């Protein structure tokens, strides 16, 4: 079952807070492979998370 961009963005955000189920993970990976916009969104969130962690450590 394919997911749309709204569902993918929700899973991308959820993945920052909790492990995704195998089904969620697989559906998201397929969507990210096919959708450049969501891939970029995922990359940007990961960068923001890394920056926030560094800022929290005073780096």
């Amino acid at each position: 079952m394919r997911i749309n961009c709204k569902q993918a963005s929700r899973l991308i955000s959820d993945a920052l807070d909790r492990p995704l189920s195998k089904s969620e993970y697989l559906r998201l990976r397929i969507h990210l492979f096919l959708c450049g916009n969501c891939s970029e969104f995922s990359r940007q969130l990961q960068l923001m998370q890394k920056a926030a962690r560094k800022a929290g450590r005073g780096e």
Side-chain angles (χ1 to χ4, degrees):
M1 172 203 252
R2 291 186 61 184
I3 60 174
N4 60 36
C5 292
K6 184 176 181 178
Q7 293 166 321
S9 64
R10 183 63 169 169
L11 286 175
I12 292 166
S13 296
D14 287 351
L16 296 176
D17 299 325
R18 66 171 177 88
L20 298 180
S21 71
K22 288 180 183 180
S23 172
E24 290 172 324
Y25 177 80
L26 184 57
R27 287 184 291 161
L28 179 58
R29 296 307 303 168
I30 290 169
H31 184 86
L32 292 176
F33 179 75
L34 299 171
C35 181
N37 290 332
C38 287
S39 294
E40 182 64 18
F41 175 68
S42 178
R43 188 185 72 76
Q44 289 173 354
L45 277 186
Q46 290 171 357
L47 288 173
M48 287 178 20
Q49 184 182 44
K50 286 180 185 178
R53 284 185 180 151
K54 281 185 176 182
R57 291 191 304 257
E59 294 180 20

